[in-house]
Amino acid sequence: MIRLSSRDLGVCSEAVRALYADFCLEAFPERALATVSRLVSVEHITYNQLTLQPRKLLVKFLPERPDAELLIPQLAAHFNTHPLAKFIHSTEPRRIVDVTSFRQFKETAVFREYYGCIGVTNQMVFALENTGVLIALNRRERGFSDRDQAVISFLSPHISQAYQNARARAELSADIGEIGKGLAAIERAIIFADRGGRIVWLTALAREWLLELFPGSIKSGMRLPPPFAARVSAFEQSQSKKSFFETHLAAGPEQQLTARFIRTSLGKFLIVLDRERAAIAGAVANSLGLTRREGEILYWISEAKADREIAVLLGVSPRTVHKHVEHLFAKVGVDNRAAAQRLGWDLRRI
């Protein structure tokens, strides 16, 4: 097989970059056909995909060929007589002239019932690896050159990988959708957003809170509120290797909104919102048998403060705080600080 010229290599490389840039699985067949036909001239080109469950043959033409589409049953019925039938899983491009003569091709049932009817006399085919996809380049008169075959040899593994990338992205999107349904079912305020601040998906509770606290963000085109967008932008600019960070905002009298950002491997952000009281209400503390002071200390424990820090904040001695901590642990039935911190979070959450 001949080597490609530097010009052909440059054009093919540009085409490959364009293929990898688009992850839409639904648009992949048209994109693959358009890419190939720009680099190798054809009368028409087809994308053929056989699925087993259910058994179905999908054929796409570029340009559209209604006359050929009507004869697809004939192609399927007689394809076993095609000279290239044994190469339908080969990623290396094969030309009819590589395996048989034009005269012998004309004598096959698949030519009489299909290719002869649509005026195809020359063909080159190649498969996408592990996909069930076969791409066929068709011409009426002129044969496919060694250069044409070399171009397809260069493109074939990249088209296969681009397909795998698009399929993986589609499967991931489906998984995210299912995860989203589960998150929505547990009534949490959760947002998926991209690094540019565009909201990709959010739960009903997150939408409700954003409409209340940042109405412009939703009404003007599903954008993250400015404080969140600024935090994402600052994180991106810092080039931090961390995948988690959080921010706190006022959310009304004696309330705060905590946004916990989790950066995914695809560069998007899962944002979990918690709306919290700025104190544990006296009625809530009383329901647990806690004094007002013990309620205050439980609040500061939920903020991960140590006894010495709490003593400074409340203006009492560390020993006094320690005694209050012992009492409240006994009253609420916890035996360590982590459990008390989780309880404090739950009591503050709105």
Side-chain angles (χ1 to χ4, degrees):
M1 187 173 293
I2 69 168
R3 288 189 174 186
L4 291 176
S5 67
S6 58
R7 179 182 179 281
D8 281 334
L9 281 172
V11 172
C12 288
S13 297
E14 285 298 322
V16 166
R17 278 193 285 271
L19 274 172
Y20 286 140
D22 192 338
F23 287 95
C24 180
L25 184 61
E26 291 182 356
F28 180 82
E30 291 83 359
R31 187 158 47 90
L33 295 185
T35 298
V36 172
S37 61
R38 279 197 301 270
L39 300 176
V40 177
S41 64
V42 292
E43 264 73 47
H44 74 273
I45 183 171
T46 62
Y47 179 101
N48 312 271
Q49 184 167 26
L50 177 65
T51 60
L52 299 179
Q53 298 293 336
R55 189 173 181 83
K56 180 181 177 182
L57 177 64
L58 167 71
V59 181
K60 291 185 177 292
F61 291 81
L62 184 72
E64 292 185 3
R65 288 287 303 267
D67 58 329
E69 290 182 41
L70 292 173
L71 294 171
I72 290 299
Q74 295 297 95
L75 172 63
H78 300 287
F79 189 77
N80 64 315
T81 69
H82 196 299
L84 299 175
K86 63 182 178 181
F87 300 111
I88 61 172
H89 299 299
S90 173
T91 58
E92 278 299 313
R94 308 276 179 170
R95 301 169 293 188
I96 288 177
V97 295
D98 292 332
V99 297
T100 191
S101 67
F102 175 62
R103 182 181 59 80
Q104 290 172 317
F105 179 43
K106 286 180 66 176
E107 292 174 354
T108 63
V110 74
F111 182 88
R112 290 195 305 270
E113 301 297 330
Y114 182 72
Y115 291 109
C117 300
I118 64 174
V120 169
T121 57
N122 287 289
Q123 187 176 65
M124 179 164 58
V125 304
F126 68 101
L128 304 189
E129 189 174 7
N130 300 321
T131 63
V133 173
L134 183 74
I135 294 179
L137 295 77
N138 303 290
R139 288 177 179 169
R140 292 181 182 275
E141 301 292 341
R142 186 163 51 96
F144 290 95
S145 67
D146 291 344
R147 177 266 176 194
D148 296 334
Q149 195 172 33
V151 166
I152 300 304
S153 289
F154 180 92
L155 290 177
S156 174
H158 296 290
I159 297 175
S160 296
Q161 188 59 56
Y163 177 89
Q164 298 291 357
N165 292 352
R167 186 167 67 179
R169 182 67 171 267
E171 291 172 354
L172 178 60
S173 296
D175 287 345
I176 288 175
E178 290 303 312
I179 292 170
K181 291 177 184 177
L183 294 174
I186 61 174
E187 298 183 349
R188 292 298 301 272
I190 297 171
I191 301 168
F192 280 107
D194 62 26
R195 66 184 66 183
R198 183 177 66 90
I199 295 174
V200 178
W201 178 90
L202 74 171
T203 62
L205 184 58
R207 178 185 292 274
E208 178 185 324
W209 286 1
L210 292 186
L211 281 171
E212 177 188 348
L213 301 172
F214 311 99
S217 297
I218 297 294
K219 294 177 180 178
S220 64
M222 295 290 285
R223 307 289 302 179
L224 284 178
F228 292 177
R231 191 68 180 85
V232 167
S233 178
F235 177 79
E236 289 288 287
Q237 291 176 13
S238 72
Q239 298 183 336
S240 173
K241 293 183 179 180
K242 295 181 179 179
S243 60
F244 174 85
F245 58 96
E246 64 181 50
T247 191
H248 306 276
L249 301 169
E254 298 186 350
Q255 291 184 22
Q256 73 175 14
L257 186 68
T258 298
R260 297 178 174 88
F261 297 76
I262 304 167
R263 193 175 191 273
T264 72
S265 59
L266 292 176
K268 288 188 170 56
F269 290 88
L270 172 68
I271 306 169
V272 182
L273 304 180
D274 282 310
R275 199 165 176 175
E276 302 166 337
R277 296 178 177 88
I280 294 175
V284 174
N286 289 338
S287 70
L288 295 173
L290 301 178
T291 65
R292 181 184 61 81
R293 179 65 82 188
E294 288 166 350
E296 291 174 336
I297 291 173
L298 182 56
Y299 168 81
W300 288 115
I301 289 175
S302 73
E303 288 285 290
K305 300 295 185 184
D307 286 359
R308 187 171 297 278
E309 294 174 292
I310 297 173
V312 173
L313 290 166
L314 298 181
V316 296
S317 71
R319 182 176 178 80
T320 300
V321 172
H322 183 71
K323 282 295 182 184
H324 282 307
V325 169
E326 288 182 344
H327 294 157
L328 77 87
F329 276 21
K331 290 179 180 180
V332 300
V334 300
D335 55 10
N336 60 67
R337 210 170 187 87
Q341 186 176 30
R342 288 193 295 271
L343 175 63
W345 287 340
D346 290 339
L347 295 177
R348 290 171 56 189
R349 185 174 292 130
I350 297 174

